[in-house]
Amino acid sequence: VELRAAENTVRFAFATPGFGGEPQVLHESRLVGFADGDAQAGPAGERTFTNLPAGAYTFEVRGRSADGRWSEPARFAFTVLAPWWQTP
């Protein structure tokens, strides 16, 4: 997926249906290619990134059940294009 330079804010909403109904489900997510790409963990099912510079990114998320089982990560790759004045 390619996003125009003006579309540099992205919001991801996610859930772990396989762990539905379990208490204390955590989600761990990160955006590979942005800043340091550190993962954040918490119960929230969404993550927003703003002012992304031009470049290629991969959003990764996985869930953990109360007993410590991790789901396989889901991934979504996209590119933010440079503004027209920065392209040859």
Side-chain angles (χ1 to χ4, degrees), residues 4-86:
R4 296 182 315 227
E7 299 172 319
N8 64 353
T9 295
V10 294
R11 178 179 171 266
F12 295 94
F14 43 87
T16 47
F19 297 148
E22 292 190 27
Q24 302 173 346
V25 172
L26 291 177
H27 297 101
E28 182 180 67
S29 62
R30 68 182 184 151
L31 186 59
V32 178
F34 181 62
D36 54 16
D38 283 348
Q40 280 188 0
E46 66 179 54
R47 186 104 187 258
T48 301
F49 300 91
T50 59
N51 298 319
L52 293 173
Y57 302 96
T58 302
F59 179 73
E60 297 180 339
V61 63
R62 63 184 185 154
R64 190 188 79 184
S65 66
D67 66 359
R69 291 177 295 135
W70 284 101
S71 68
E72 289 296 316
R75 294 177 176 88
F76 179 78
F78 64 98
T79 301
V80 176
L81 300 174
W84 65 269
W85 65 87
Q86 291 180 346

